[in-house]
Amino acid sequence: MACGDMIKLRVFPDRDAVSRSLAESIRTLAMEAADHPPTGIIIAGGRTPLAAYRLLAAQPAEAPSRLHVFFSDDRYVPLDDDNSNAGTITPFLRTFGVPEKQIHCIEPERPMDEAAMRYGECYRSFLDGGGSIRLCFLGMGADGHTAGLFTGDQADPKHAEAALGIQRPDGMAGISLT
């Protein structure tokens, strides 16, 4: 199933319930991945889902070897910067057992347009190679945004970019899957 084939909307009573559900969903997909084509998940950064990633790291999985992780968006900063979603979350994913080569991050050492293009190519290559996205978890910002803050014109299907470099309203640059 590709992202967009089926959307499930769930409402949770509090952040702890969201964290437990997300951690359990990722754990289940990681275990099921052994019996499927390469399984991908798209996850959000920010503060809210960090508790879920901590729960994953607290109970490493036995076999997430076919699980691939993509970030819905990330700030265009070095991975060791506190503002980097990938830099913050990757240690939890590695402890959980996801192989580092299957945690797909932007390359902030490259010019932003090139980094966005390469991230998009990595994502498309995963899908073209038979991988499927089985979970797409998007957080919601205080202003109501989900994932990157790109405009409809920037994500116009005629352009067909899988990832875009964007200037965020907070003054930071970012790269977002479209």
Side-chain angles (χ1 to χ4, degrees):
M1 155 176 48
C3 192
D5 288 347
M6 182 174 60
I7 296 175
K8 292 181 184 178
L9 176 64
R10 294 179 59 195
V11 178
F12 297 93
D14 54 45
R15 286 183 185 198
D16 288 342
V18 171
S19 297
R20 287 189 307 273
S21 180
L22 177 58
E24 188 55 37
S25 293
I26 293 171
R27 183 176 313 287
T28 298
L29 287 172
M31 295 305 135
E32 292 174 355
D35 300 325
H36 288 82
T39 297
I41 63 173
I42 299 173
I43 60 173
R47 291 183 302 268
T48 302
L50 282 179
Y53 308 138
R54 285 186 188 104
L55 288 171
L56 284 175
Q59 295 180 330
E62 290 181 22
S65 64
R66 293 176 58 86
L67 185 69
H68 289 254
V69 178
F70 295 88
F71 296 89
S72 60
D73 69 325
D74 206 347
R75 293 166 194 89
Y76 182 64
V77 295
L79 294 177
D80 62 357
D81 187 297
D82 289 342
N83 289 307
S84 169
N85 291 334
T88 301
I89 298 166
T90 294
F92 297 122
L93 297 171
R94 283 196 316 252
T95 300
F96 174 59
V98 179
E100 189 156 356
K101 67 181 182 182
Q102 291 167 207
I103 302 171
H104 305 285
C105 306
I106 68 167
E107 299 173 80
E109 65 278 3
R110 297 183 181 279
M112 188 164 72
D113 288 344
E114 181 182 343
M117 180 189 72
R118 289 176 58 93
Y119 193 56
E121 288 173 351
C122 174
Y123 179 69
R124 285 193 190 274
S125 176
F126 171 77
L127 295 174
D128 292 345
S132 67
I133 301 298
R134 302 212 30 235
L135 173 71
C136 184
F137 178 80
L138 300 177
M140 182 178 288
D143 62 0
H145 80 273
T146 57
L149 302 171
F150 53 86
T151 67
D153 290 341
Q154 289 173 307
D156 186 326
K158 70 182 177 192
H159 298 297
E161 290 97 349
L164 290 173
I166 54 170
Q167 286 302 128
R168 298 161 40 108
D170 63 7
M172 296 187 82
I175 293 177
S176 180
L177 290 175
T178 60

